[in-house]
């Protein structure tokens, strides 16, 4: 198959260097989050609409399923899109396909503890037909792309999904050896490749009681967290849609809490291999 994107300059070198230093180390404390991009413009009436579904557990333990339609803004789409259908998520009862998870299931975390799934959302993205995503593509992370059994089998991710890497520069700059980096920053036309399938790809995302590092096909990635900029919102259209997506928070997005690990932008990922 021919892929219609050019490989980012130096991406293979970046991915190889990070792969050599990839070695999960438990016990890190939560670290400050870094802003990755400005908030989107609120002129959403001119944007196409996106349909999504989500299920959540309310304060009484009842599972509620809700459909929702919202402007196709990147931050809103990402809330429902991280792992493609068929991705295996580690739970306390073994690996479970992401589409089969239910609120209340116990998800295994990097701390070797199980945390309750509070919310699961999904949406379908057609990278060729959806205007807002026509310049992007899903990512295939091949088996072992980031080290032995990382991931254990090929993994399909949304283009904004982050994965965990270990690098000594992270420890010097952020106080922890590990950081979350956009998987697209590691795309190299070799072991992490960009795809533009003809049909739609159904993606899912997960929220636990707090931000956690979880395992998708054996690879360390993250549960959903909107980031500090959005958590600081108290009004406006973005806040309105976020409050609808996560009703148990009652509009108080700060309830997402601190980040489990710092997030690096693509420029910072490139700097890791140049330092």
């Amino acid at each position: 198959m021919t892929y219609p994107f050019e490989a980012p300059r130096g991406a293979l070198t970046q991915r190889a260097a990070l792969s050599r230093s990839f070695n999960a180390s438990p016990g890190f404390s939560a670290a400050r989050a870094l802003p990755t991009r400005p908030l989107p413009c609120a002129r959403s009436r001119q944007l196409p609409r996106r349909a999504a579904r989500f299920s959540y557990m309310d304060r009484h333990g009842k599972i509620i399923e809700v459909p929702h339609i919202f402007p196709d803004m990147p931050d809103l789409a990402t809330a429902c899109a991280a792992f493609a259908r068929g991705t295996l998520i580690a739970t306390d009862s073994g690996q479970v396909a992401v589409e089969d998870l239910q609120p209340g299931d116990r998800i295994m975390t990097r701390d070797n503890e199980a945390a309750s799934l509070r919310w699961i959302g999904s949406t379908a993205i057609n990278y060729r037909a959806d205007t807002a995503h026509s310049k992007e593509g899903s990512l295939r992370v091949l088996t072992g792309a980031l080290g032995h059994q990382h991931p254990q089998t090929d993994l399909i991710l949304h283009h904004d999904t982050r994965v965990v890497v270990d690098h000594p520069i992270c420890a010097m700059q952020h106080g922890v050896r590990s950081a979350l980096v956009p998987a697209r920053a590691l795309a190299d036309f070799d072991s992490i490749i960009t795809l533009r399938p003809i049909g739609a790809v159904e993606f899912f995302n997960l929220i636990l009681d707090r931000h956690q590092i979880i395992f998708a096909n054996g690879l360390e990635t993250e549960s959903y967290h909107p980031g500090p900029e959005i958590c600081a919102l108290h009004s406006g259209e973005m806040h309105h849609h976020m409050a609808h997506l996560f009703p148990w928070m009652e509009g108080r997005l700060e309830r997402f809490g601190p980040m489990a690990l710092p997030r690096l932008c693509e420029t910072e990922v490139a700097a890791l291999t140049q330092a």
Side-chain angles (χ1 to χ4, degrees), residues 28 32 166-179 262 264 271-272 274-275:
F28 290 128
R32 66 182 181 87
D166 283 1
H167 197 284
I169 298 297
C170 294
M172 291 188 289
Q173 294 182 349
H174 307 292
V176 289
R177 183 181 175 88
S178 301
L264 306 186
L272 291 181
Q274 297 173 1

Side-chain angles (χ1 to χ4, degrees), residues 10-11 13-18 20 167 169 268-275:
T13 302
Q14 296 171 21
R15 200 270 304 165
L18 291 170
R20 287 194 297 270
H167 197 284
I169 298 297
E268 290 170 310
V269 175
L272 291 181
T273 59
Q274 297 173 1

